[in-house]
Structures are given as C-alpha cells and as structure tokens.
Amino acid sequence: MAKPLTAAEMETSLHVWLETEFTYFKVEQLAAELAPLAREEQDFILGWIRRIASTHITLAWQFGRRAPALLPRMERRLLEAWAVHTCDVFDRTGLQTALRVMEQADTFDDAQHRHDAAGALFEDIAPVLGNFVCGLSGRRLRIEEGDAAWTDGERIVLPPLIAALPNLDDNFQLAKITVALLWAQTRFGSLRIDHAAIAGGYADPERALSRLYALETLRLSARIAHELPGLHRQMLRLRAQLDPALPPGWQRFETALASAQASLDDSLALLGAAYNEADCPQWSDQGCLRPDAIAAARTARLDKEKARLRIKLAELLEEHTAAQPDSAPETPPELDVTPRDENGLLDFDITLDDAPIAPPEGVKQLLTSVYLDFGEIPPDYLTPAGDGEYDANRVFDQPEDPDAVWHGTYHEKGAELYPEWDHGRQHYRKNWCVMREKPVTPVHDSFYRDTLAKYAGVVKQLRRKFEALRDENRLDKRQTQGDEIDLDALIEALADAKDGREMSDRLFVRLHRAERNIAVAFLVDMSGSTKGWINEAEREALILLCEALELLGDRYAIYGFSGTTRKRCELFRIKTFDERYGDEVKARISGIRPQEYTRMGFALRHMTKLLNQVEAKTRVLVTLSDGRPDDYFDVYRGQYGIEDTRMALQEAARTGIHPFCVTLDRDARDYLPHMYGAARYIILDDVRQLPIKVTDIYRRITT
C-alpha cells in the first residue's frame, strides 16, 4: 500500500489546480484535512478536485472541503455521481445553482442514506427506462434528470439517485414503477384539468391538491394492475416494505377507483369526501404534482398540435384526391376518425367517404396526443387546413431561414442536442452541443463539367478500377464441393490420413461473386482553414468519388461540418443516403464553401446516428479534413477537442462503424494515431493529390 501524501506534497498540486495565485482559497487548510486519510482516499479526493477544477475551481474547492466528511459514510460511486451531477447543473444553469447542489451534500447522514450503496443512478437507468416508456401506449415521453420525480405530459423527470431500498434491483424496480405511474397520468387523463383552478375552490388549496393526487394514484395503480400486472405485483411488494398501510377512511376510495373504467371524473367526484379526511396517504413511488409545469406544457401544445393535425389531414385529402380518376368529386370527401382503445393500446380508424385508410405514423402520433389531452378528438381538429391558413415552417418548428436562429438572442428550439466528452472531468457534458442540419446552397455553374474535363484520364482509370471492384470474385477455400481442387486442403488431408486421422472432405475451392452491402458516409471539413486550394480539392475529390460510386452501387451520403462554439454547431447536407446523384447534388458539391471552425465531435456523433439507421453489412465513416479539432476561443482547442473527437470515434466503432480519416495536415502524426488508431488514417502532403488518391483510399477501406 502506497504511503500517504504529506500536506506539503498535496499543497503543490492544489495550488496549481485551484489557481491560488488568483484566488483566496486556503489550500494549506484543505491539505491538512486530507493528510490523515489513507493514500487511496487521498488519491480519490484529489483526483476529483482536479477533474472538477476543469469545470470550475470554486466547485472543486467546495468538493474538497466536503468530501473528507462524506467519504466514510457514502460509497465512492455515489460521491462521484454527486460531483458529476453538480457539474451538469453548472453546465445547464450556472455557478449559483451548482453551489446549492454542492451544499445539499451536507444533509447526508448515515440514517438517511444507509442504502446509498445500492442506489440506482439516473445515468445508469435512464436508457433502460427510456426504452420502457417507448414501448408503452400513448404520447412519446422523454426521460430527463431533475430535482424530483414528476411529469408535465411531455417528459418524465427523475432525480439523480433513487436509493430508498437496500437492493440495487429493488431501487431500479422502484424507479420503473415511478415512471409507469407518471406515464399513466398522461395516458389515463390525469393531466386534462386545470389543477390550480380546482384546488382554488377549497379553503386550503394545497390540501385539496394532495388529496386529488392521492386519489389519482389509487386510480392509476389500479389501471397499472390491468395493463402491467407483473409490474403491479412488484409495486405491491415494494409498497409493503416502504409505505404505511392505507388509512381506514381511504379504503372506500380505493374500492371505488379499482375498476378499469374508473376515470378522472370519478376521482373529482370523491375529492370532497377525501378533502375532509384527516389523513392523506403518500407512496414512495408516486412522485409529485407540478400544476404550473403541466399547464404551461399543455398550453404550448394545444394550438400547435391542432395546426399540425389539420395540415396533415389536408395533405391526406390531397393525396386521396390525386389518386382518384380525373373527374373531380362534386363534394369534398368526408373524413371520419374513430378512436379505439383495445387492451390498453390506443389506435384510430380513419375513413374517407366510408373507405378505410391507414394513417401515416405522424398523423397517428398527433391523434394520440390530442386524444390524451381531451379524451376525444374535437370536431374542429378534424377540419383539414385551407391553403395558406398556417405557416407550415413555424407550425413544425422549422425556421424559414436556418440562419435566422442565430440572430439576436439564441435559443435551442428545434435543434438537436449532443453530448461532448470532457476529458478533464472524465465524463460527458450532457446535451452540450446545439446542432442544426441545413442544406448547402447549390451553385449551378460549370464546376462539375470542368472537373470531369480536368481529370478525364483519371476518371477513365477510376471507372475501370471500380468496375473491376464491382465484378470482383472471391475464392472460398475448403469447401465440400466446388470448381477446383484446394491444394493446401488436399495436402493437409493426405497428411492426416497418413497419420491415421480422419481425412477431411473439404477439398475444393469455389468462385463466389462478391456481394457488396456497404453504406458509406463522407464527412467533409468546411472550416475556414479549407479556403482556397483545399476547398477546391475537396470538391473535385467528391465529384470523382461520386462518379466512381455510382458504378459500384454502394449507398453513400455526403455531409459537411463546421461550428462556432458549442451553441452553433452546423451540419451541411450535401447528399443523403436516399438521394439520387443528380444535378441538384452536383450543384451542392459545387456550392461547398469554407465556414467557421473545426468542432468535430458533434458531427461524428450525428453521422453515427444516420449510419446506424441504414441497413448494411458494412458501414464506413470517412472524414476529409485539413487539420486538428479546433474552435473559436474555446476550451475545444488543444487536448479537449482531440479527446472528444477520439471518444466520438470510439462510440462509432462500438456500433460496428469503421471510421477512417483522410487529412491534409502535415502535423497530423502528432494526434491522428491517438484519435483514429495507427491503421485508420492517411496523410496527404500535397492537397493536389486528394482527388486522385481518395478513390484509391475508398477501394482500400471497403474491401
């Protein structure tokens, strides 16, 4: 066991990490508090001080002051979760809120957290519970982390840690039951009312709200018994361990709400009697009620979904009319929607002039959401929108101009959010990069024709190579039957027979036509440093690649990327996997122009997502870049950006994608082996080589 560090030894590092030259932190006092600890405990606390300091030195100082007292009574993974959660809060809301989270650790004590060692951490259970919710009927709900368990009808929020029980599996089951009850609030009508208005009719609104929530918990528990009987058995088992028995006065309410047909109206009818009860039950799995959040989410949703549904129905009618004979009908087709709730699964029958049609998935989701808000589909929602009645771009959260979102005060509405790996923290920054996908503006000029003329000889050579690659045969050896004798296998078989062993019958080779099942995504660096020769060479290389790939029949997509800070990460759509290589794509390639900086991780993660949506035996992600990851006056410069890019590449590789990099940076040997691995990149010393070499590189990495 290593010898503990002395206070003086620790002070040296603490002065550097906490930047005491510019602060008033008394590291001597902190080092003295850490000196009596075992070396392993010192290393744990010092390691986390260093990691948190990469986010904010004040948070690191506060962690160091509190950790020695918490370490004896908290498992280390929970201390780590507390530290990471604090950093996440800092990322989302700033220093003051994060400091309040840090201060909450002082309330930990042995009695209250005796089960923390088996606690279920949000980051561990959220992916599983997200899939669980997706499998349930109703509106699609997001799983998010927050201060407590609650829902507003759009999302389900869970605390960072659920640790009410001594067993990890039981704590996970408790989280799952909580999620089911919160989902049931949306699915079975608990959120259709104005809770504040109803509670306002009583002398004590808070008392009325707590009674109504308890009545709904009884009703929804009964619904879960019908819909998810296995989970309900777990619910009863855990409630027996955690919760007191139901007060006698509430047993009549439980009986009245036990029917599968019980509705919110039944709970409201019982509210007066429940209000008069002295006791009000609470369950460990029920979460809490947030009327303001429910009302805000519902208000924002109603008008928008009405507009979306009416637009979608108008599109359905237009398609129906276009499919009819040339003679126009004298009256518009009659549209009818009938909800159908069978065994807990919500569905809809749609008819046009009494003829059933299959609703598209988007229409079905809208109908579901509207039905959950009203318990029916209001007639005015089923009136198809007239021409010009709505601005579809605004209704569907698509800005008319993708660049308009950057003007004035920036907001993240409509963007995709991606995590980013913070190597200093050794954890992800959640929802950190704000990404928008936008098309490249096409330029209809002579660039395509000029490139083919410039490289006419190269194009002929490339076509011959790729035609041969397309028709390439593979020799399968050691077959039971085939076209020729496999001499190696025959020699081994004769040797086995001579030694008295059984002779193999796999003595033939068979010619097998190679079947290509490949999807390739090209990610093109569009940072400002590609201006000039590099930009022109990238565009020429893409033209030659597309000409060759069209012969092969491989599915391919082309995107560009650039960014300015984490708030403005842009992915430029040049060609999608399903798009034909026609004049529009050629014009977009011609229109590729240098943009901002080389923030790369978000682009790799988005391309990984797109590639994984394509059915292919082999999926390849090729990056064309002229330099290392970089950004504008940002921590992304240097090691941070390299480590985030490396992590994004590892994430892609874990899903079965093969990443490869073609770079024009002569200094790339300093960082590319670390990011990509020794065999997954090539460095071109002369930018003029790119159009000629990139097709040879493609042949190498896909065979």
Side-chain angles (χ1 to χ4, degrees):
M1 183 176 293
K3 184 180 178 181
L5 297 169
T6 65
E9 289 172 327
M10 288 184 282
E11 286 175 21
T12 303
S13 298
L14 290 170
H15 278 298
V16 175
W17 298 335
L18 299 176
E19 302 178 11
T20 54
E21 183 180 353
F22 309 103
T23 63
Y24 298 98
F25 298 136
K26 297 178 181 178
V27 298
E28 297 80 8
Q29 180 182 348
L30 176 56
E33 293 173 358
L34 298 178
L37 302 179
R39 177 60 181 272
E40 188 181 7
E41 295 173 327
Q42 290 176 339
D43 289 343
F44 175 81
I45 294 175
L46 290 171
W48 269 101
I49 290 174
R50 174 181 56 80
R51 290 159 71 171
I52 299 173
S54 69
T55 297
H56 201 284
I57 57 175
T58 301
L59 294 177
W61 165 255
Q62 294 294 339
F63 176 87
R65 294 302 312 277
R66 288 169 168 77
L70 293 171
L71 194 57
R73 60 180 190 259
M74 280 184 69
E75 195 196 41
R76 291 187 186 182
R77 75 181 187 98
L78 297 178
L79 266 174
E80 179 174 337
W82 167 57
V84 171
H85 176 60
T86 302
C87 292
D88 289 340
V89 170
F90 172 81
D91 290 343
R92 293 195 304 268
T93 59
L95 180 60
Q96 294 305 315
T97 312
L99 285 174
R100 285 197 292 272
V101 172
M102 188 70 73
E103 290 166 1
Q104 290 172 2
D106 290 334
T107 64
F108 282 38
D109 57 60
D110 291 325
Q112 185 177 355
H113 291 272
R114 62 187 180 277
H115 300 319
D116 275 352
L121 296 173
F122 176 85
E123 62 186 39
D124 293 336
I125 64 177
V128 180
L129 295 179
N131 290 333
F132 169 65
V133 171
C134 284
L136 299 175
S137 176
R139 186 183 297 129
R140 291 172 180 168
L141 302 171
R142 308 186 304 273
I143 302 286
E144 296 183 1
E145 184 178 357
D147 59 335
W150 55 278
T151 185
D152 61 2
E154 298 276 350
R155 55 188 170 155
I156 290 174
V157 181
L158 294 175
L161 173 71
I162 293 180
L165 292 151
N167 181 280
L168 178 59
D169 289 339
D170 283 347
N171 282 317
F172 171 74
Q173 287 297 327
L174 180 62
K176 188 175 182 180
I177 293 163
T178 301
V179 166
L181 279 168
L182 295 174
W183 157 79
Q185 290 184 30
T186 300
R187 175 64 180 84
F188 300 114
S190 299
L191 310 185
R192 291 176 188 157
I193 55 174
D194 185 340
H195 293 84
I198 289 174
Y202 292 82
D204 185 345
E206 288 299 323
R207 180 186 177 100
L209 276 179
S210 65
R211 267 62 177 175
L212 177 58
Y213 196 54
L215 289 169
E216 279 294 274
T217 301
L218 287 173
R219 182 176 73 89
L220 298 178
S221 299
R223 292 306 298 256
I224 289 176
H226 290 281
E227 308 294 338
L228 304 166
L231 190 64
H232 185 255
R233 287 192 291 272
Q234 295 287 347
M235 175 191 290
L236 296 179
R237 180 177 66 84
L238 296 183
R239 284 182 177 179
Q241 296 181 49
L242 292 170
D243 304 321
L246 192 67
W250 281 77
Q251 292 172 5
R252 54 185 170 132
F253 303 143
E254 182 180 39
T255 302
L257 297 171
S259 167
Q261 284 70 46
S263 68
L264 174 63
D265 290 337
D266 295 308
S267 293
L268 293 173
L270 296 171
L271 179 55
Y275 181 84
N276 294 324
E277 288 290 331
D279 296 324
C280 181
Q282 287 188 319
W283 295 271
S284 52
D285 53 26
Q286 70 179 31
C288 59
L289 188 68
R290 300 281 173 92
D292 292 344
I294 294 167
R298 191 171 192 269
T299 300
R301 183 170 61 243
L302 291 184
D303 288 342
K304 185 169 291 185
E305 290 195 340
K306 180 178 182 180
R308 288 175 177 173
L309 181 58
R310 294 185 63 208
I311 290 173
K312 288 293 185 183
L313 293 178
E315 293 173 355
L316 268 179
L317 283 177
E318 185 177 350
E319 293 174 5
H320 174 77
T321 304
Q324 301 306 307
D326 294 338
S327 57
E330 297 181 0
T331 59
E334 184 177 344
L335 179 72
D336 183 63
V337 176
T338 304
R340 183 159 39 85
D341 192 343
E342 296 180 353
N343 299 321
L345 295 177
L346 190 59
D347 206 346
F348 299 88
D349 295 323
I350 299 183
T351 59
L352 278 174
D353 286 340
D354 297 326
I357 62 171
E361 187 61 28
V363 173
K364 188 181 291 188
Q365 278 296 317
L366 283 170
L367 288 169
T368 298
S369 188
V370 171
Y371 181 84
L372 294 178
D373 278 329
F374 294 99
E376 61 178 0
I377 306 296
D380 55 328
Y381 276 63
L382 296 177
T383 305
D387 291 339
E389 186 174 351
Y390 294 109
D391 181 344
N393 284 323
R394 295 186 182 279
V395 169
F396 290 95
D397 294 330
Q398 296 172 353
E400 295 176 3
D401 175 8
D403 290 325
V405 295
W406 309 121
H407 301 159
T409 302
Y410 178 71
H411 58 87
E412 298 176 1
K413 184 178 181 181
E416 289 197 56
L417 303 179
Y418 281 98
E420 192 167 86
W421 178 255
D422 184 334
H423 82 289
R425 188 187 299 179
Q426 287 294 294
H427 275 270
Y428 287 99
R429 290 175 177 250
K430 299 171 185 173
N431 296 329
W432 189 243
C433 291
V434 183
M435 190 215 79
R436 293 182 186 274
E437 186 179 310
K438 56 192 292 189
V440 168
T441 302
V443 174
H444 296 276
D445 58 8
S446 63
F447 181 80
Y448 169 74
R449 296 187 298 276
D450 293 345
T451 299
L452 293 186
K454 179 179 178 180
Y455 294 98
V458 175
V459 170
K460 290 180 181 178
Q461 183 181 5
L462 291 175
R463 284 177 174 165
R464 284 197 300 270
K465 287 182 179 179
F466 276 70
E467 283 173 351
L469 182 62
R470 179 189 62 195
D471 298 330
E472 188 177 75
N473 289 327
R474 187 177 74 239
L475 208 61
D476 291 338
K477 295 186 176 184
R478 301 181 185 277
Q479 303 297 308
T480 56
Q481 53 186 346
D483 304 296
E484 298 177 8
I485 298 294
D486 186 338
L487 292 178
D488 291 336
L490 178 60
I491 291 170
E492 288 183 17
L494 291 172
D496 288 340
K498 187 175 181 179
D499 291 340
R501 293 192 292 269
E502 184 179 355
M503 185 174 172
S504 173
D505 62 347
R506 295 182 173 274
L507 304 175
F508 299 91
V509 293
R510 183 175 60 205
L511 287 173
H512 177 72
R513 176 63 59 84
E515 294 182 3
R516 299 183 63 84
N517 186 10
I518 297 174
V520 186
F522 293 94
L523 187 58
V524 184
D525 183 353
M526 289 174 58
S527 61
S529 59
T530 63
K531 186 176 181 180
W533 269 103
I534 295 176
N535 174 259
E536 182 177 345
E538 284 183 340
R539 291 185 289 143
E540 290 175 345
L542 290 174
I543 291 290
L544 298 184
L545 257 176
C546 291
E547 292 294 312
L549 289 171
E550 288 298 307
L551 290 172
L552 276 181
D554 291 353
R555 284 167 292 174
Y556 66 101
I558 306 172
Y559 287 79
F561 73 96
S562 178
T564 306
T565 76
R566 72 180 185 90
K567 286 286 191 178
R568 185 171 180 170
C569 300
E570 295 179 316
L571 200 77
F572 297 89
R573 188 170 59 255
I574 301 165
K575 179 188 178 300
T576 67
F577 282 106
D578 298 326
E579 197 167 8
R580 187 179 65 86
Y581 177 58
D583 291 341
E584 185 71 12
V585 171
K586 295 170 185 175
R588 287 192 210 125
I589 293 175
S590 179
I592 294 174
R593 295 292 184 270
Q595 302 294 320
E596 302 293 342
Y597 290 84
T598 321
R599 202 175 195 106
M600 196 178 293
F602 80 89
L604 291 168
R605 291 183 175 97
H606 189 70
M607 296 310 298
T608 296
K609 174 183 172 182
L610 294 182
L611 266 171
N612 281 321
Q613 293 171 353
V614 179
E615 290 291 334
K617 183 177 180 181
T618 303
R619 297 189 300 275
V620 182
L621 174 55
V622 181
T623 306
L624 305 179
S625 177
D626 77 322
R628 71 179 64 220
D630 190 19
D631 206 341
Y632 172 77
F633 292 124
D634 190 281
V635 70
Y636 208 81
R637 287 185 167 178
Q639 196 65 25
Y640 182 104
I642 289 173
E643 295 296 338
D644 174 56
T645 303
R646 179 172 182 262
M647 185 62 72
L649 290 166
Q650 290 178 356
E651 294 164 21
R654 283 196 294 268
T655 68
I657 291 172
H658 304 280
F660 194 87
C661 180
V662 181
T663 185
L664 309 170
D665 183 6
R666 291 184 175 88
D667 297 325
R669 289 180 179 85
D670 295 339
Y671 60 90
L672 270 188
H674 180 64
M675 286 189 348
Y676 278 87
R680 293 181 177 174
Y681 68 91
I682 187 169
I683 300 172
L684 299 181
D685 295 326
D686 185 351
V687 68
R688 296 170 184 82
Q689 295 178 308
L690 180 59
I692 301 171
K693 292 286 188 181
V694 75
T695 44
D696 287 336
I697 294 165
Y698 178 84
R699 184 180 187 277
R700 190 179 91 191
I701 64 180
T702 59
T703 57

